[in-house]
Amino acid sequence: GENVEQHPSTLSVQEGDSAVIKCTYSDSASNYFPWYKQELGKRPQLIIDIRSNVGEKKDQRIAVTLNKTAKHFSLHITETQPEDSAVYFCAGKGFGNEKLTFGTGTRLTIIP
Amino acid sequence: DTEVTQTPKHLVMGMTNKKSLKCEQHMGHRAMYWYKQKAKKPPELMFVYSYEKLSINESVPSRFSPECPNSSLLNLHLHALQPEDSALYLCASSQIGLAGARSGANVLTFGAGSRLTVL
């Protein structure tokens, strides 16, 4: 099955700076990679996703890049704000698979 | 309605109790999921229902029993739980099952969760 590793486990960034979180996956057939943000005591919420047929996707301050050859994908948050503080989970899904496998999470803290 | 609603928000039960968690969505989604999340850990898949049929059971102990009465409702029946089963139980839904390739249809929408404490 799919195995997703996520780094770093914690990340502190000065407000206004950029944050990058990286994930690697094991199944070369995986074709869908979402990122979820979970604030303390809240539900996970999708912030951006990417499919295996594109290399990059942007949505305002958030971008995701995918390197299929190296089997890794990254979340980039620019101009960070205090409300970006949360736990971020990457995930991967194998082709034709019903199961989303989550990474172990990154606790992002934005320092004002 | 763009939400997944879970009840109760909090549940405390003894090891001999029988209780149920409920999940409801009115987005016309045909796949529904139960996840278990322990503190500081990612969500762990328990069950998947696709078109009201159980399609995945991740080797979950039989003290957890899922039920999908119709396309909008998903229940999780709990019986003879252990203290280590204490966790946040998240329900989620998606337009179609994750195996489908249609763009945008795989997005999981999570409910707010039911926080379960087993004494």
Side-chain angles (χ1 to χ4, degrees):
Chain A
E2 175 68 284
N3 182 42
V4 177
E5 294 189 1
Q6 183 171 349
H7 300 281
S9 56
T10 61
L11 179 62
S12 294
V13 172
Q14 208 71 37
E15 183 179 352
D17 286 352
S18 296
V20 181
I21 302 170
K22 297 181 181 179
C23 289
T24 59
Y25 61 97
S26 60
D27 184 356
S28 56
S30 288
N31 64 347
Y32 176 62
F33 306 95
W35 285 89
Y36 284 85
K37 175 184 180 182
Q38 189 173 27
E39 296 176 59
L40 191 61
K42 300 280 181 71
R43 75 191 76 193
Q45 291 198 291
L46 180 76
I47 54 171
I48 196 166
D49 58 9
I50 193 167
R51 295 184 184 274
S52 56
N53 57 349
V54 298
E56 184 175 4
K57 185 176 177 181
K58 282 184 182 178
D59 183 3
Q60 299 182 350
R61 297 186 297 109
I62 292 172
V64 56
T65 56
L66 172 64
N67 182 328
K68 284 193 294 183
T69 305
K71 291 193 283 188
H72 67 70
F73 57 111
S74 299
L75 177 71
H76 305 254
I77 306 175
T78 57
E79 300 171 18
T80 52
Q81 300 167 4
E83 53 265 37
D84 295 329
S85 293
V87 177
Y88 291 80
F89 292 102
C90 63
K93 184 194 82 67
F95 179 77
N97 197 324
E98 290 277 11
K99 182 179 175 180
L100 205 56
T101 300
F102 285 87
T104 48
T106 296
R107 180 170 298 280
L108 175 64
T109 303
I110 307 302
I111 305 164
Chain B
D1 188 350
T2 58
E3 284 204 343
V4 176
T5 304
Q6 288 187 245
T7 56
K9 289 192 185 337
H10 300 275
L11 178 63
V12 179
M13 61 187 289
M15 290 191 284
T16 57
N17 291 159
K18 281 187 184 181
K19 297 284 184 184
S20 297
L21 305 181
K22 296 184 184 302
C23 175
E24 193 167 357
Q25 57 85 17
H26 296 287
M27 296 179 280
H29 288 181
R30 300 313 301 270
M32 296 185 77
Y33 311 77
W34 280 115
Y35 282 86
K36 173 183 177 180
Q37 187 176 30
K38 299 281 258 184
K40 300 185 180 182
K41 297 288 186 184
E44 269 179 62
L45 183 65
M46 299 175 73
F47 302 104
V48 180
Y49 273 84
S50 184
Y51 293 86
E52 294 112 73
K53 291 193 183 336
L54 183 65
S55 60
I56 294 182
N57 176 342
E58 287 284 289
S59 303
V60 178
S62 59
R63 59 185 184 268
F64 295 92
S65 174
E67 179 197 18
C68 188
N70 60 56
S71 61
S72 300
L73 293 174
L74 185 66
N75 298 322
L76 186 63
H77 302 298
L78 315 170
H79 174 53
L81 295 193
Q82 305 295 311
E84 59 264 29
D85 296 322
S86 298
L88 181 68
Y89 288 84
L90 292 162
C91 174
S93 69
S94 61
Q95 198 172 333
I96 60 173
L98 291 181
R102 200 165 81 227
S103 179
N106 302 145
V107 173
L108 281 187
T109 300
F110 283 91
S114 293
R115 188 162 297 283
L116 173 67
T117 303
V118 182
L119 301 176

